[in-house]
Amino acid sequence: MQKCYLGIDIGSISTKGVIINQNNDILYSDYIWTEGNPIDAVKRLLKSLEKNFDKEKYQIVGVGTTGSARKLIGTILNASIIKNEITAHAIGTISKYPDIKTILEIGGQDSKIILVEDKIVTDYAMNTLCAAGTGSFLSSQAKRLNIDVKDFGNIALTSTNPTKIAARCTVFAESDLVHKAQMGYKKEDIIAGLCKSVALNYLNNVGKGKKIKSPIIFQGGVSKNIGVKKAFESLLKKEVIVDENGHLMGALGVAILAQNEKEINFDFNITNLNFTTIGVECDKCPNHCEIITIRKDNKLIDAWGNRCERGAIKN
Amino acid sequence: MTNNIISFPHLGNYSIPIYYFLSHVTKNPIKIAPPITKKTLELGSKYSPDFVCLPFKYNLGNFIESLEEGASILLQAGGGCRYGYYGEVQCQILKDLGYDFKFVSFLDDAKLNPKTIYKALKSINPKLSKIRYLYYLTTTMFMINCLDKIENYIRLNIGFEVKSQSFKNLEKRMLSDFKKSKGVISILKKYRKYKKLFKSLPINKPKNCLKIGVIGELYTSMEQFSSYFIEENLAKYNIEIKRYTNLTYLLIKKQFNLKKLLKKARNYVTYELGADGLDNVARTIDLIEKNYDGIVHIKPFGCTPEIGAIPIINKICKQNKMPIIYFSFDSQTSDEGIKTRLEALADMLKERRKK
């Protein structure tokens, strides 16, 4: 029986899972949409992983979760480690690209930059306040232009004259886009301009003041958009790597981290259990903390969100 | 006039020494504003100009909640940045909202010193003698100093407590005890007692633990609610926290410090940057010299002096390979995002240590 480790990255838009062996090789992986329901997404993910999983040969002894729903899913799966996405992405990427210096990442709702030196994170930044230039912005604009977001990159590449689009803020970018469309600019020029504005916005916000050194890798859902990749290359005047497994790096990183934790015995049976989450508003003071309670088959397993003891929910 | 309830805005735990001071130099009942909650900030934001700095909104929220609970004399101080205009603008906003109150500013001609405070207090309590005023001003400063020393000890050790909440609970007990202080001797006794009690709390602290310096704007540094309890959250990752800003520093040490700061920062700064801008540049250099593991810089959204200091601090940190992260707080910040960044910082510093 070989030991292996499960890593799950539950993002706002997609949920990624990998199963790795002790040498950090990916044995199984999958990638599905979160569709606003992380618990259901993870159940679907586990079911599809289980289908190919060789139970005779392997045994999962560690589980890690990352991404914005890491705490919820980590609690449900009784994970050995729950880690923030910055650390997870860095560790996953460094394991594949040991001499990487810069990690650019644009996901569904967030974007981040991680600087690495000698396999160690030296600096990082994450977008604050606003989701300008992230995947959700691109997909909503794709809808407006009535094209599939998957074709975005290839259409952008056909343009020879990208339109200038205001890059600072999503709202400005959107009104600028409408304006440019009404002025009669070609669709592919607008799309190429949009890709450029995403890259520009990224470099001016999270990338501000950061020294971007080669080798550079570009990850997250938006990295599948070749238009944005090309825009980065032309703006940075450097080569940008996009790995075909780029979307799995977070899951891979947290699976690697799970190797150092105490061994557990993971069972796929978890997909048959019934989990419910209920939000409760504490009314003991004007803070009105939003407390999330998680129930497994109607039994409370955890609750969090309270700022003080008075809001603690116990069984 | 002596029946009118006095109130003032919160600033961390300093409501206790301020309460002590006011209750001895005036004859009025004193009301400490209700503890800051999300509602305080909502109220403050609702009636503030949108782009004003965050402490203004908290202060205004405190005033409104105090007025709702019956306060009718409001006190406000001021300082070297926009803080100097807070009083007048807040007074006008509250008057426009229809509240009836007397507004007393410790500032006179944009200056804040023992003389201007005395003048302001005289307008509430005309019989206040200079001797009484000076005595209680000194004892209050003494109490502030005692509390600051204990708070320093808490910051250094709270991340290593064996029993969770043991530091917080003792701190609460200490504050309610200090509130009942009488004179210098009772304060000194309490200080010794709690110093001993804090030192007897069991901690599990390794010799070379991670050390982080928290620098930045003064209000967000001292009022933990406004920084989403950043010190506590950082300490949780077994980190020792160092903070320079406290009232002892601002009210006493700072005025003698200018030359020293300029000397320390001479390679980067020639003049003052306003408020604590220069202080934070010098602190950055100090933390690097003392081999700290990392720096966290915090400020409220729109704090001009700190915006001026950040590029300089960034340059110093780059040159010296000092890890630093910046937080800018406003009324819309989500605490999940802050926790994610703090955890990543702790991970990064731990990895660096391993090398």
Side-chain angles (χ1 to χ4, degrees):
Chain A
M1 201 78 127
Q2 269 190 46
K3 284 177 188 173
C4 59
Y5 305 87
L6 168 69
I8 307 178
D9 178 355
I10 318 98
S12 56
I13 305 286
S14 61
T15 298
K16 288 80 68 178
V18 297
I19 297 175
I20 60 165
N21 63 15
Q22 281 161 312
N23 304 324
N24 301 348
D25 303 317
I26 297 177
L27 304 172
Y28 307 97
S29 73
D30 204 5
Y31 174 70
I32 57 166
W33 301 119
T34 309
E35 291 168 354
N37 187 346
I39 298 179
D40 185 55
V42 168
K43 278 187 182 172
R44 280 186 286 134
L45 180 86
L46 288 176
K47 266 192 193 131
S48 95
L49 285 174
E50 189 183 10
K51 239 182 252 160
N52 303 319
F53 190 74
D54 188 345
K55 280 182 186 164
E56 305 291 302
K57 203 172 158 200
Y58 299 110
Q59 167 65 36
I60 295 177
V61 294
V63 178
T65 59
T66 185
S68 41
R70 59 183 179 278
K71 194 163 179 194
L72 177 69
I73 303 304
T75 310
I76 286 175
L77 298 182
N78 207 359
S80 8
I81 187 163
I82 299 172
K83 222 0 122 198
N84 66 79
E85 48 269 40
I86 299 170
T87 309
H89 270 276
I91 289 185
T93 314
I94 293 167
S95 80
K96 287 245 157 189
Y97 295 87
D99 44 358
I100 204 78
K101 288 253 169 66
T102 311
I103 303 170
L104 314 174
E105 217 241 76
I106 307 183
Q109 289 287 340
D110 68 346
S111 54
K112 43 190 172 285
I113 184 166
I114 307 172
L115 304 185
V116 184
E117 223 165 273
D118 293 336
K119 298 190 197 176
I120 285 200
V121 178
T122 54
D123 198 2
Y124 63 87
M126 206 171 157
N127 61 334
T128 49
L129 297 173
C130 119
T134 59
S136 58
F137 169 65
L138 278 182
S139 62
S140 70
Q141 294 318 314
K143 231 175 248 160
R144 168 186 293 282
L145 297 166
N146 200 17
I147 48 171
D148 192 342
V149 74
K150 282 179 192 142
D151 305 330
F152 225 87
N154 289 322
I155 297 176
L157 289 189
T158 61
S159 159
T160 48
N161 180 28
T163 314
K164 261 200 184 136
I165 288 178
R168 180 158 305 151
C169 160
T170 312
V171 180
F172 292 154
E174 184 164 350
S175 53
D176 206 27
L177 184 144
V178 174
H179 169 70
K180 291 283 156 71
Q182 301 302 73
M183 273 173 65
Y185 281 90
K186 276 194 263 172
K187 214 178 216 179
E188 62 260 32
D189 289 348
I190 292 176
I191 289 169
L194 210 55
C195 291
K196 202 177 163 192
S197 93
V198 166
L200 207 62
N201 176 291
Y202 177 92
L203 294 173
N204 286 338
N205 282 308
V206 287
K208 193 175 213 166
K210 306 263 181 272
K211 246 209 177 103
I212 297 175
K213 290 187 202 154
S214 291
I216 304 162
I217 192 163
F218 177 30
Q219 300 177 346
V222 177
S223 72
K224 304 282 170 198
N225 182 331
I226 187 151
V228 180
K229 179 197 173 222
K230 288 274 178 240
F232 268 124
E233 285 183 330
S234 77
L235 287 168
L236 293 167
K237 300 194 176 61
K238 281 170 191 157
E239 198 203 342
V240 174
I241 309 165
V242 174
D243 190 288
E244 58 166 333
N245 281 334
H247 57 288
L248 298 175
M249 291 301 180
L252 173 64
V254 81
I256 292 171
L257 283 168
Q259 292 173 347
N260 302 327
E261 301 297 316
K262 225 176 99 189
E263 287 190 5
I264 56 167
N265 214 340
F266 178 78
D267 192 349
F268 279 104
N269 262 340
I270 224 136
T271 51
N272 302 325
L273 292 173
N274 184 24
F275 291 98
T276 44
T277 52
I278 300 170
V280 191
E281 200 171 88
C282 173
D283 54 6
K284 298 206 170 71
C285 84
N287 264 332
H288 295 301
C289 296
E290 289 168 52
I291 303 163
I292 299 291
T293 59
I294 303 177
R295 284 163 199 282
K296 179 164 91 181
D297 290 332
N298 264 332
K299 235 186 98 201
L300 184 77
I301 53 171
D302 205 355
W304 62 75
N306 51 311
R307 284 184 176 77
C308 71
E309 279 301 300
R310 284 186 295 170
I313 292 178
K314 284 169 195 134
N315 234 344
Chain B
M1 197 74 186
T2 49
N3 295 326
N4 290 350
I5 301 172
I6 303 180
S7 191
F8 53 90
H10 272 289
L11 181 64
N13 295 330
Y14 294 117
S15 55
I16 302 295
I18 298 170
Y19 173 89
Y20 166 80
F21 178 59
L22 292 173
S23 63
H24 283 97
V25 294
T26 67
K27 296 193 167 70
N28 303 48
I30 319 288
K31 164 114 198 103
I32 295 182
I36 296 183
T37 61
K38 253 162 61 186
K39 192 181 142 213
T40 316
L41 183 58
E42 271 162 28
L43 277 173
S45 309
K46 191 172 167 191
Y47 299 111
S48 298
D50 197 20
F51 276 89
V52 76
C53 27
L54 192 63
F56 184 96
K57 299 177 183 176
Y58 277 105
N59 283 183
L60 189 68
N62 284 150
F63 281 145
I64 293 174
E65 286 186 320
S66 290
L67 287 167
E68 291 294 336
E69 298 210 349
S72 53
I73 300 180
L74 301 180
L75 298 181
Q76 177 64 293
C81 53
R82 268 198 275 194
Y83 186 28
Y85 305 115
Y86 278 21
E88 277 164 51
V89 182
Q90 282 163 343
C91 176
Q92 194 57 49
I93 291 172
L94 294 171
K95 288 254 152 84
D96 289 348
L97 286 174
Y99 288 109
D100 183 28
F101 60 93
K102 180 179 159 76
F103 199 84
V104 178
S105 172
F106 281 168
L107 290 185
D108 188 22
D109 204 14
K111 278 191 203 92
L112 178 74
N113 57 41
K115 256 190 199 163
T116 64
I117 298 174
Y118 181 62
K119 208 174 140 194
L121 289 171
K122 272 283 230 193
S123 74
I124 304 171
N125 178 12
K127 282 186 192 152
L128 178 65
S129 75
K130 255 190 191 142
I131 296 174
R132 189 178 174 83
Y133 165 70
L134 284 176
Y135 174 76
Y136 281 106
L137 189 67
T138 335
T139 46
T140 306
M141 282 315 304
F142 180 64
M143 188 198 283
I144 289 173
N145 190 238
C146 291
L147 287 174
D148 282 343
K149 278 190 211 155
I150 291 180
E151 299 276 338
N152 272 344
Y153 180 82
I154 296 177
R155 269 191 289 280
L156 295 179
N157 296 297
I158 189 169
F160 308 93
E161 62 184 4
V162 174
K163 203 175 143 238
S164 96
Q165 296 289 320
S166 60
F167 274 76
K168 283 263 123 195
N169 290 337
L170 186 58
E171 188 190 11
K172 263 185 222 154
R173 237 176 77 197
M174 172 184 81
L175 290 171
S176 67
D177 209 2
F178 264 100
K179 200 175 162 190
K180 292 175 231 144
S181 303
K182 291 200 177 73
V184 177
I185 295 171
S186 93
I187 294 171
L188 187 65
K189 268 188 190 158
K190 289 188 170 89
Y191 169 63
R192 288 199 177 132
K193 177 182 157 195
Y194 282 99
K195 200 170 128 187
K196 224 173 162 184
L197 281 174
F198 270 109
K199 293 223 161 131
S200 68
L201 284 180
I203 50 169
N204 183 7
K205 191 175 176 181
K207 261 222 165 102
N208 53 350
C209 56
L210 285 178
K211 291 196 278 186
I212 288 183
V214 177
I215 59 173
E217 187 271 340
L218 62 99
Y219 185 86
T220 36
S221 294
M222 294 193 284
E223 177 50 65
Q224 290 296 304
F225 190 95
S226 72
S227 68
Y228 296 79
F229 301 93
I230 199 164
E231 289 176 359
E232 234 173 276
N233 284 324
L234 253 182
K236 266 184 211 153
Y237 301 108
N238 294 338
I239 294 172
E240 181 186 302
I241 313 282
K242 158 106 182 158
R243 185 180 90 198
Y244 297 83
T245 309
N246 54 32
L247 274 191
T248 308
Y249 177 79
L250 291 172
L251 298 178
I252 298 174
K253 287 186 195 156
K254 189 176 157 86
Q255 48 197 318
F256 308 112
N257 227 0
L258 181 60
K259 270 195 185 151
K260 225 166 95 189
L261 295 173
L262 279 173
K263 199 179 158 201
K264 189 146 214 167
R266 66 183 177 279
N267 292 337
Y268 305 95
V269 188
T270 321
Y271 308 103
E272 264 192 281
L273 293 162
D276 284 356
L278 171 64
D279 307 57
N280 286 322
V281 174
R283 287 163 184 170
T284 308
I285 299 169
D286 193 45
L287 288 167
I288 290 167
E289 284 171 0
K290 287 183 178 150
N291 279 324
Y292 268 69
D293 292 279
I295 301 177
V296 176
H297 181 279
I298 57 178
K299 70 166 172 57
F301 177 72
C303 173
T304 320
E306 293 305 325
I307 290 171
I310 283 178
I312 309 173
I313 294 172
N314 210 12
K315 185 180 172 188
I316 302 173
C317 287
K318 279 255 160 70
Q319 285 175 345
N320 294 286
K321 296 205 166 168
M322 182 68 159
I324 181 165
I325 53 167
Y326 303 93
F327 286 100
S328 188
F329 300 107
D330 84 339
S331 46
Q332 307 293 330
T333 314
S334 93
D335 49 350
E336 250 339 288
I338 295 168
K339 277 178 195 156
T340 301
R341 287 175 185 79
L342 290 180
E343 191 187 286
L345 178 73
D347 287 341
M348 175 167 100
L349 299 184
K350 264 176 216 157
E351 282 299 311
R352 275 171 68 100
R353 265 288 180 91
K354 275 187 201 159
K355 276 264 152 162

